[in-house]
Amino acid sequence: MKKFIKTAIPTAIILCVALAFAGCEKPKTTYEKLCDNVSYMQTGYYIAEDDNFDVKLSSTRQEELFIADGKADAKKDITLLTLTPKDSANLSKTYEYTLTGDKSSVSGSITKSRLGINMSCKIQNAAEIGAPKTLEIKEKDTENTPVKLELQDKCPAQTDANAALEIAYTHYKDAIDQAINSKTFDRECYVKLLCQSQGSDEPEYYWYVSFIKDKNDYWSVIINPENKEIVSSRENGGKTDKK
């Protein structure tokens, strides 16, 4: 009996302390609750180009199979390398690549995608290479010298994806807060970098942020990352408000 008491008292004390700390845990803000329902967020975007290829390297934190259903299910990090040959005849070839970051490198092969309009492959363990710097490409089973391309980081340093989400949240704050506080919020968050070409001029990049219930019911904004201003907004696929 004494042995039981000696064991039970310390256990009870530990339990009380744990419950006390749990009770002191700061409740989440509505914005933090919103962040729990992010189903797609662009975390990196790099480009390169030469006479033969357009290159895109896109990293996202997303549902493996994105479905616009208002819920953010299990998410994973995905990095996709895409090569678009300027000569369509090269789509039938297989290329070897070496992607080098500021920590290490990864190599593999890339072939025509299922859509047949470019070549693509997922980069496994992409985070281990650090910030991507260069991409070397060589046609498989040839003695050709690899072509080395410098990758350009196009994710805006002044406004990253998290900052874009917060700007969009502020725009719809009243509606989002009301829905979250009444436990009726049923929209997943989608944050993607958009490229807008201006003819021969340098392409411009904007953040697209959407709060999606389904494919026909969403609130969205387009944000200029340079000045953090909302260029346009749209609700439920209807009226567009120009800023």
Side-chain angles (χ1 to χ4, degrees), residues 170-203:
T170 301
H171 184 75
Y172 290 113
K173 186 177 187 304
D174 290 345
I176 291 173
D177 284 1
Q178 182 179 358
I180 288 178
N181 292 331
S182 62
K183 298 182 180 180
T184 60
F185 187 74
D186 55 358
R187 297 176 184 274
E188 58 193 302
C189 310
Y190 183 97
V191 187
K192 182 178 176 63
L193 196 63
L194 299 181
C195 174
Q196 181 175 325
S197 298
Q198 299 290 333
S200 59
D201 297 333
E202 185 73 15

Side-chain angles (χ1 to χ4, degrees), residues 197-212:
S197 298
Q198 299 290 333
S200 59
D201 297 333
E202 185 73 15
E204 296 181 349
Y205 291 86
Y206 296 87
W207 284 112
Y208 172 79
V209 184
S210 185
F211 305 107
I212 307 170

Side-chain angles (χ1 to χ4, degrees), residues 48-82:
E49 181 183 7
D50 69 358
D51 293 337
N52 297 308
F53 291 100
D54 286 320
V55 177
K56 291 182 176 63
L57 182 70
S58 176
S59 295
T60 56
R61 176 72 175 169
Q62 65 172 94
E63 294 176 301
E64 187 166 12
L65 179 61
F66 176 77
I67 301 174
D69 58 2
K71 297 179 291 185
D73 295 320
K75 289 161 280 188
K76 65 184 300 183
D77 294 312
I78 296 176
T79 295
L80 186 68
L81 173 64
T82 304

Side-chain angles (χ1 to χ4, degrees), residues 211-225:
F211 305 107
I212 307 170
K213 182 174 182 179
D214 57 48
K215 65 180 181 179
N216 298 313
D217 187 349
Y218 59 89
W219 310 332
S220 66
V221 297
I222 295 177
I223 300 166
N224 183 336

Side-chain angles (χ1 to χ4, degrees), residues 3-53:
K3 184 177 180 181
F4 171 76
I5 293 173
K6 287 180 180 179
T7 305
I9 291 175
T11 302
I13 292 172
I14 292 171
L15 180 59
C16 289
V17 171
L19 290 172
F21 276 109
C24 294
E25 186 176 334
K26 188 177 179 181
K28 288 185 177 182
T29 65
T30 50
Y31 177 67
E32 289 171 335
K33 292 176 183 177
L34 177 73
C35 291
D36 290 339
N37 214 41
V38 174
S39 61
Y40 184 103
M41 178 173 281
Q42 188 103 47
T43 56
Y45 189 74
Y46 297 80
I47 66 169
E49 181 183 7
D50 69 358
D51 293 337
N52 297 308
F53 291 100

